[in-house]
Amino acid sequence: MGSLLNPLNTTMISTALVAIGHSFGIGAADTAWLISVLYLASAVAQPVLGKLADTLGPRRVFLAGLVVVMASGLVGALAPGFGTLIVSRLLLGVGTSAAYPAAMAVLRDESRRLGRPTPRPVLARLSFAALGSAAVGPALGGLLVSVVGWRGIFAVNVPIALLAFGAALLWVPADPPRDRAADGSAPKLSLDPLGIGLFTTALTVLVFFLLDLAHPQWWLLAPFAVLTAVLVRWQLRTPQPFIDLRMLAGNGPLLRTYIRHGLSYLLIYCVMYGYTQWLEEARGFSSGHTGLLMLPMSVTALVCSLLGARTKGLRAPLTVACLLLTAGAGILVFLSGDTPLAVLLLAGACFGAPQGLIGTSNQAAVQAYAPPESIGAAAGLQRTAQYIGAITASSLIALAYADAATDAGLHLMAAVSVVLAVLLAALTLTDRALRART
């Protein structure tokens, strides 16, 4: 339940952006901030909370995150202005970021207790919760907007988080005791606050550059480069770094998993937000009808997440996902105001299967390639890569659409997506580590 909150909120708002824009008298370029601010908060918070889960214990971190989620839901549901909605999405990004790395850390602790690796079907259930919620998000968002208005997509987080909090108190295992120091004193926390601060600042600067590709603020690249250099130097010198750069440099399969995951979700979220906005503004569908049109994508994602979990290897499902992303982007290039409904449904379905296959396969890759003692932080970095791709996608959408979703804007976004899909396929097919069975 906790793991579904972040992906649910990343996609549920897609069918509410137009309604929110009309409510506050703003355009698509402004409502894109509701997408970007959650991704910024999540990209920063996921590895930080993953590190906290590895250090303090996953149960504590998970419960604290759910409290923040409940607060964010109330702030958004009662928001008097657009700025308050931004604050709500910021809190939502931080609070929901605790669940996934905490869950991976819980599975690690259980693996240690049982003395066996985490079975892939168990990982698949965690992935299914996240993918399922992301897949049904547009349909649920459209239903809530149609029935209770756009405020419902914020309020719905409160009861879900409350139920997850109660269930966690009952069933999530207590955090294992941390090893004490040699002199018997309490162990020191290895959080590396300077590394966290440098990482957060550098990533924030990068995100602000990516948010406005239509008018690039090139000067931001200078402080980003300086901050990155200082971060790298500090991480290489400190004995317990926030990001183990030496491990990443020597762990090519894990590093390539991050790159592949981020690029994949750049393509997926271009459709998740860009395509839905085009269906509403260019084709004139309501929020509810747009949600229904995205159902084939949702169902396909759910089915393929289960199928992907049953495969023994990683290369085959990831290759199929790349081919479908290329085909789906190619279909979008030719859509227009008189495109038959069946083709619109097919386009959505082409992006649904990759969601399921990519999510389960890359999650299994992180579990297989990351060091067990830092799986929470590694899982958080996987989501950071995903959200950097998503932020870039929202910037590409804003660049293509400006103030309104048009056919020309959709075709521009689709053409870029075709090129990126081909690049993703090349990266996947040339990765030798994917040939091994997991």
Side-chain angles (χ1 to χ4, degrees), residues 14-15 134-139 268 270-277 279 287-301 344-345 347-349 351-352 355:
S14 63
T15 49
V136 303
I268 290 171
C270 272
V271 175
M272 191 71 70
Y273 294 113
Y275 185 43
T276 53
Q277 288 190 61
L279 288 172
S287 297
H289 288 156
T290 299
L292 291 175
L293 284 172
M294 300 302 285
L295 271 180
M297 182 178 72
S298 305
V299 174
T300 306
L344 301 181
L345 295 172
F351 285 89
Q355 284 187 67

Side-chain angles (χ1 to χ4, degrees), residues 123-332:
L123 288 172
R125 293 180 192 124
L126 176 62
S127 180
F128 183 82
L131 289 169
S133 59
V136 303
L140 177 60
L143 177 64
L144 289 172
V145 172
S146 300
V147 176
V148 299
W150 59 262
R151 293 182 186 273
I153 67 171
F154 293 90
V156 73
N157 289 287
V158 178
I160 297 176
L162 187 60
L163 289 172
F165 191 93
L169 290 176
L170 291 173
W171 295 314
V172 173
D175 295 324
R178 292 179 286 121
D179 296 332
R180 304 186 70 84
D183 58 1
S185 61
K188 294 182 179 180
L189 299 181
S190 56
L191 295 182
D192 186 17
L194 179 57
I196 292 173
L198 289 170
F199 173 81
T200 300
T201 307
L203 188 59
T204 301
V205 172
L206 175 63
V207 167
F208 271 96
F209 172 77
L210 294 174
L211 284 176
D212 192 10
L213 294 179
H215 308 90
Q217 303 293 317
W218 297 110
W219 64 271
L220 288 174
L221 296 181
F224 171 72
V226 172
L227 288 166
T228 301
V230 175
L231 173 64
V232 170
R233 181 176 176 81
W234 173 251
Q235 296 300 276
L236 292 176
R237 294 182 61 182
T238 187
Q240 294 180 318
F242 169 57
I243 301 175
D244 193 342
L245 295 180
R246 288 190 174 89
M247 181 275 293
L248 284 177
N251 194 337
L254 181 61
L255 187 60
R256 291 192 295 272
T257 297
Y258 291 153
I259 296 173
R260 187 173 59 245
H261 197 69
L263 186 55
S264 299
Y265 274 89
L266 190 161
L267 294 168
I268 290 171
Y269 281 111
C270 272
V271 175
M272 191 71 70
Y273 294 113
Y275 185 43
T276 53
Q277 288 190 61
W278 178 82
L279 288 172
E280 290 190 51
E281 292 192 328
R283 287 298 298 262
F285 291 108
S286 66
S287 297
H289 288 156
T290 299
L292 291 175
L293 284 172
M294 300 302 285
L295 271 180
M297 182 178 72
S298 305
V299 174
T300 306
L302 291 173
V303 172
C304 288
S305 67
L306 295 178
L307 294 177
R310 294 180 178 274
T311 60
K312 298 298 183 182
L314 299 174
R315 192 182 189 190
L318 288 172
T319 300
V320 172
C322 292
L323 295 176
L324 288 172
L325 285 174
T326 306
I331 293 175
L332 295 184

Side-chain angles (χ1 to χ4, degrees), residues 377-415:
L381 286 173
Q382 178 197 359
R383 287 294 179 89
T384 295
Q386 175 177 327
Y387 290 127
I388 290 176
I391 291 166
T392 307
S394 66
S395 301
L396 178 60
I397 293 168
L399 177 64
Y401 286 164
D403 293 325
T406 62
D407 289 354
L410 178 68
H411 296 162
L412 173 61
M413 183 184 68

Side-chain angles (χ1 to χ4, degrees), residues 59-98:
R59 188 173 186 260
R60 296 185 184 94
V61 173
F62 177 55
L63 292 174
L66 290 174
V67 173
V68 177
V69 171
M70 286 184 272
S72 70
L74 293 174
V75 170
L78 303 174
F82 186 69
T84 311
L85 283 186
I86 296 292
V87 174
S88 172
R89 294 284 286 180
L90 178 64
L91 291 173
L92 192 60
V94 173
T96 58
S97 293

